[in-house]
Each structure stands twice: as structure tokens, then as C-alpha cells.
């Protein structure tokens, strides 16, 4: 079979870290291609940038300074990470990243510019002939931006004609014999979606051996 082609659709720079091991496996060991579409510019991360202030020598936790400087910093960090992971193309929509909220309607209606994100994802999907789309699973507690990115990606896939890529949602979880992953998405009349039963899990506590 042909090597897989994957499009990552996420809200913020650094969200790609959730798929790091899988992306590396696809690009380095399976001969596949991975592209990434990032919707926002990440300016809202100024609230969480204290450790980065000494590294960059910039007062990033000052809102005005952080909003002005973080988009370029986070884009550069993402491109550096992409080179390690083997990501081929990065597409940036530079939508506003105003504030943390769990409300998908606030993000879609007040944060992002109308008529931009969905058509752009549709265009990338149509041009890329992807087998898979990676998103963050939209659980009830998920950042509203993550919810909006994933639901918009699902809508874009549904609008495609012909062969459609498989959409896989990633979610952190504690897994043990007693605790299995819970894939209960948030419920929304405006944004209904159906979760299939297939679950693929990676135990991040397993150590790598020699080679």
C-alpha cells in the first residue's frame, strides 16, 4: 500500500506535540507525508509564558508585549519542531487567539474571523489527497479552540466529495487495568458528531530499547 498522507488540524502552535511520536513514525519509518494546518497565532499564550521570559529576554507575561511577540516566537518554535518530526508543509491561518474558554460558540462566533477557517481547511483537504486527519478529541473539558478546530475539520471532511480521509482524535488519558480511556465527546445540538468504537492507545511509560 502507498505511504500514508496526513493533515494535522489544530488550533494553536505546539498542539502538534500531542501527535509527536505518531508523526515521527509516519515520516521517518513509514515513508509517509505529514502536513500541518494551525488556525490561531497563539498570542493568548502570554498567560503561560513565565519560563520563556528569561529564555527569550522578553517580558512575555505582559499582555501587550506577549500578544505582539508570541505569534512570531511560537511560529518559529513550531517550525523547529516540525523539522525534527519531519512535517513537510505548515499552513498558518493566523486567526486571533483571544482568551481561554471552553465555549466553542464563543470561539467560532467571536474569536475567529468569519468565513475563513472552514473554506481554507476544505481547500487544503481537496488539494492534499490525505488518508488521515489528526485533531484533538473534543471532550467536554477541552479548550474551546480545540473543540472548534476539530469540529471544523470534521465539517470540512464531510463536505468533501469522493474519498474522504479518516479523522482521528487524540486525547491524553490515564490508562490502567482499572481505568480505560473514556471517549465521551461534548454534546452539542449545533455541532453533532459520532464517535466510532475504535481506540488506539500508546503507553508513554514504556522505555525504548537499544535501536
Amino acid at each position: 500500500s502507498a505511504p500514508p498522507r496526513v493533515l494535522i488540524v489544530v488550533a494553536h502552535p505546539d498542539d502538534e506535540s500531542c501527535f509527536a511520536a505518531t508523526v515521527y513514525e509516519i515520516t521517518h519509518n513509514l515513508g509517509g507525508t505529514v502536513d500541518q494546518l494551525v488556525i490561531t497565532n497563539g498570542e493568548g499564550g502570554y498567560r503561560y509564558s513565565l519560563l520563556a521570559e528569561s529564555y527569550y529576554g522578553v517580558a512575555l507575561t505582559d499582555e501587550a508585549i506577549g500578544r505582539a511577540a508570541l505569534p512570531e516566537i511560537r511560529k518559529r518554535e513550531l517550525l523547529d519542531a516540525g523539522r525534527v518530526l519531519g512535517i513537510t508543509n505548515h499552513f498558518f491561518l493566523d486567526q486571533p487567539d483571544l482568551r481561554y474558554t471552553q465555549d466553542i460558540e464563543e470561539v467560532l462566533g467571536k474569536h475567529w474571523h468569519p468565513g475563513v477557517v472552514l473554506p481554507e481547511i476544505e481547500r487544503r483537504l481537496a488539494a492534499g489527497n490525505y488518508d488521515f486527519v489528526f485533531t484533538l478529541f473534543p471532550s467536554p473539558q477541552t479548550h474551546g479552540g480545540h473543540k472548534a478546530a476539530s469540529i471544523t475539520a470534521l465539517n470540512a471532511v464531510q463536505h468533501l466529495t469522493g474519498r474522504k480521509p479518516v479523522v482521528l482524535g487524540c486525547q491524553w488519558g490515564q490508562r490502567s487495568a482499572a481505568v480505560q480511556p473514556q471517549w465521551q465527546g461534548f454534546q452539542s445540538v449545533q455541532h453533532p458528531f459520532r464517535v466510532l468504537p475504535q481506540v488506539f492507545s500508546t503507553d508513554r511509560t514504556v522505555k525504548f530499547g537499544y535501536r
Side-chain angles (χ1 to χ4, degrees):
S1 61
R5 293 182 56 81
V6 177
L7 178 66
I8 299 171
V9 178
V10 288
H12 313 99
D14 80 9
D15 289 344
E16 79 286 343
S17 61
C18 294
F19 319 104
T22 302
V23 168
Y24 191 93
E25 175 73 11
I26 290 170
T27 59
H28 286 72
N29 297 329
L30 299 180
T33 300
V34 178
D35 295 335
Q36 177 169 224
L37 185 147
V38 182
I39 296 172
T40 78
N41 61 18
E43 64 183 307
Y46 74 89
R47 293 182 176 89
Y48 315 104
S49 297
L50 180 61
L51 295 179
E53 287 191 330
S54 60
Y55 183 84
Y56 288 108
V58 180
L60 295 172
T61 55
D62 179 286
E63 181 173 0
I65 295 174
R67 287 191 182 276
L70 274 175
E72 191 274 333
I73 288 174
R74 296 186 73 178
K75 183 177 292 186
R76 188 168 69 244
E77 290 178 341
L78 182 145
L79 292 172
D80 288 342
R83 279 188 284 272
V84 174
L85 296 178
I87 295 175
T88 302
N89 297 300
H90 299 270
F91 307 112
F92 298 98
L93 302 190
D94 293 320
Q95 294 298 295
D97 178 26
L98 296 184
R99 73 182 193 94
Y100 176 84
T101 176
Q102 292 183 355
D103 185 356
I104 182 176
E105 301 302 340
E106 178 183 333
V107 174
L108 292 173
K110 298 179 181 179
H111 293 195
W112 299 352
H113 298 138
V116 173
V117 178
L118 179 60
E120 186 62 22
I121 297 176
E122 290 176 338
R123 187 166 75 87
R124 294 300 176 188
L125 288 172
N129 192 32
Y130 297 105
D131 303 296
F132 299 95
V133 173
F134 289 177
T135 68
L136 297 178
F137 187 79
S139 65
Q141 294 77 30
T142 302
H143 189 310
H146 296 163
K147 289 189 181 84
S150 299
I151 291 299
T152 305
L154 283 168
N155 289 339
V157 168
Q158 288 174 338
H159 293 169
L160 282 176
T161 58
R163 188 179 71 92
K164 301 180 190 294
V166 174
V167 181
L168 298 177
C170 174
Q171 176 176 290
W172 299 109
Q174 300 294 326
R175 188 165 187 238
S176 66
V179 181
Q180 297 297 315
Q182 298 296 311
W183 294 85
Q184 301 298 321
F186 81 108
Q187 301 301 310
S188 170
V189 175
Q190 294 89 346
H191 309 286
F193 67 99
R194 184 166 58 96
V195 181
L196 298 177
Q198 291 86 350
V199 175
F200 310 92
S201 61
T202 299
D203 186 346
R204 293 183 292 123
T205 67
V206 173
K207 296 180 180 180
F208 290 98
Y210 177 61
R211 292 185 176 174

